[in-house]
Amino acid sequence: MSKSSSSEIVCFGEMLIDFVPNESGVSLAESAGFLKAPGGAPANVACAITKLGGSSAFIGKFGEDEFGHMLVDVLKENGVNSEGVCFDKDARTALAFVTLKKDGEREFMFYRNPSADMMLKDSDLNMGLIKQAKIFHYGSISLITEPCRSAHMAAMKAAREAGALLSYDPNVREPLWPSAEACREGIKSIWSSADVIKVSDDEVEFLTQGDAAMADEKNVLSLWYEGLKLLLVTDGEKGCRYFTKHFRGAVEGFSVNTVDTTGAGDAFVGSLLCSAAKDSSILEDESKLREALRMANACGAICTTRKGAIPALPDNAAAQKLISGSP
């Protein structure tokens, strides 16, 4: 494909429309109205990066419909390079209805049968964009069906061969897979290709079928493999834990008024990848890593204080304010 302009961090996968109820704590059936919010974890990460002053691109496929064009506009408005985006005239842009429970946690109902993001093919890939990336970031939803799975594998291989750091946030969405077992197997099928992996405490429990609590570190460490540079476990408002070959520890989170947890993990990842793109030594230097994770925790916390993912992503000033205002 044609030569592309450069972006330090390339995010691959799905972008969709989240429909979030106007009021929290009601079921989808009870909700009188919905807020239309752009979403999709890899796209959220791409926007989180640019909001923090980093350089990102998004690679994915949309329906040739109003929602698809709206999402590309959202990428452009957020300063994300959209040269890796393509359109499918036969499939619709994916939709998700997200129920917010009383505590701001979420339940999902997806409309993708099949959606355009699932129809991305190897031949759709903008290889120029992938090969110049410092960091290539992806999730697991793009592994569920063909042809997108093969495109995902080809993109990952090209990024790896070009020397990019590979970042994986599986973002478990069990309802999209045929079964829980298929979900675990699919997510683990590319596990040992990544340099950096981020999972939530809930995802550790799901993937290991054991408790992710501090007392049971062996479940977390069962996810470690030789060659991994950094394993991160996010523990919600408690903060996060980090594991490398040479050191491990925890960084405390921030207490905020949580409204909607959508996108918090993506804000966290976007912030960390921004730090890694600026200085790759954070993966070997514990004090630098802790500083980067404090920033990432602040970004994740701020993101929970507003509804929707992309509109709630913080900039550097907001994150620094939260950090400096805490002990």
Side-chain angles (χ1 to χ4, degrees), residues 220-238:
V220 175
L221 290 172
S222 72
L223 297 172
W224 179 266
Y225 70 88
E226 193 55 44
L228 186 58
K229 291 179 177 159
L230 175 63
L231 175 63
L232 291 164
V233 180
T234 51
D235 292 308
E237 63 187 18
K238 293 201 292 284

Side-chain angles (χ1 to χ4, degrees), residues 263-311:
D266 305 323
F268 175 95
V269 171
S271 175
L272 180 77
L273 295 184
C274 255
S275 298
K278 279 195 201 103
D279 181 2
S280 60
S281 75
I282 69 163
L283 301 176
E284 286 88 46
D285 181 323
E286 188 169 12
S287 64
K288 282 184 182 176
L289 178 64
R290 289 183 66 85
E291 197 179 322
L293 291 175
R294 191 156 171 74
M295 177 72 171
N297 281 345
C299 289
I302 292 166
C303 192
T304 69
T305 61
R306 282 181 65 187
K307 280 190 182 174
I310 293 171

Side-chain angles (χ1 to χ4, degrees), residues 5-323:
S5 48
S6 133
S7 296
E8 287 195 320
I9 305 162
V10 172
C11 300
F12 173 94
E14 72 285 352
M15 187 177 191
L16 56 142
I17 310 266
D18 285 333
F19 285 92
V20 185
N22 283 339
E23 50 188 318
S24 298
V26 297
S27 70
L28 292 177
E30 291 164 341
S31 179
F34 295 88
L35 179 76
K36 185 179 71 191
N44 292 345
V45 171
C47 292
I49 290 160
T50 55
K51 203 86 179 271
L52 293 166
S55 150
S56 71
F58 176 75
I59 291 180
K61 199 170 204 177
F62 299 109
E64 185 69 76
D65 52 40
E66 290 226 358
F67 284 150
H69 288 285
M70 178 199 125
L71 291 176
V72 176
D73 287 343
V74 167
L75 290 172
K76 289 176 178 170
E77 282 158 19
N78 282 276
V80 176
N81 180 337
S82 61
E83 290 171 20
V85 163
C86 53
F87 291 93
D88 192 303
K89 65 183 194 311
D90 299 318
R92 294 273 188 224
T93 300
L95 308 178
F97 286 83
V98 186
T99 313
L100 292 179
K101 293 184 286 191
K102 290 271 192 285
D103 57 2
E105 284 298 327
R106 301 156 298 161
E107 288 171 332
F108 292 90
M109 189 161 87
F110 294 93
Y111 283 71
R112 359 170 30 240
N113 53 336
S115 53
D117 58 290
M118 299 159 73
M119 308 310 288
L120 184 76
K121 307 186 295 288
D122 297 25
S123 57
D124 294 326
L125 293 172
N126 185 325
M127 284 300 191
L129 208 50
I130 294 167
K131 287 175 179 171
Q132 54 69 46
K134 265 193 193 177
I135 300 173
F136 183 69
H137 174 74
Y138 48 89
S140 69
I141 288 172
S142 41
L143 298 170
I144 299 172
T145 49
E146 292 291 0
C148 190
R149 182 184 166 85
S150 291
H152 181 132
M153 304 305 275
M156 221 166 63
K157 182 170 183 282
R160 161 73 73 211
E161 286 172 357
L165 185 83
L166 266 55
S167 160
Y168 184 25
D169 179 358
N171 252 305
V172 174
R173 296 286 179 263
E174 207 187 321
L176 294 178
W177 295 81
S179 66
E181 203 39 57
C183 181
R184 266 188 288 272
E185 280 176 23
I187 285 168
K188 288 185 172 174
S189 68
I190 60 164
W191 198 258
S192 57
S193 299
D195 298 301
V196 176
I197 296 176
K198 175 249 155 192
V199 279
S200 68
D201 47 0
D202 291 345
E203 288 168 342
V204 171
E205 289 189 29
F206 175 76
L207 292 169
T208 64
Q209 295 173 275
D211 189 7
M214 279 289 199
D216 200 356
E217 216 73 295
K218 87 174 187 304
N219 280 318
V220 175
L221 290 172
S222 72
L223 297 172
W224 179 266
Y225 70 88
E226 193 55 44
L228 186 58
K229 291 179 177 159
L230 175 63
L231 175 63
L232 291 164
V233 180
T234 51
D235 292 308
E237 63 187 18
K238 293 201 292 284
C240 66
R241 286 171 278 164
Y242 58 89
F243 303 83
T244 75
K245 192 172 181 178
H246 302 295
F247 50 80
R248 65 177 76 158
V251 178
E252 271 189 55
F254 296 87
S255 186
V256 292
N257 181 24
T258 294
V259 174
D260 175 12
T261 57
T262 308
D266 305 323
F268 175 95
V269 171
S271 175
L272 180 77
L273 295 184
C274 255
S275 298
K278 279 195 201 103
D279 181 2
S280 60
S281 75
I282 69 163
L283 301 176
E284 286 88 46
D285 181 323
E286 188 169 12
S287 64
K288 282 184 182 176
L289 178 64
R290 289 183 66 85
E291 197 179 322
L293 291 175
R294 191 156 171 74
M295 177 72 171
N297 281 345
C299 289
I302 292 166
C303 192
T304 69
T305 61
R306 282 181 65 187
K307 280 190 182 174
I310 293 171
L313 294 168
D315 58 15
N316 275 309
Q320 294 297 349
K321 187 179 171 193
L322 182 60
I323 291 168

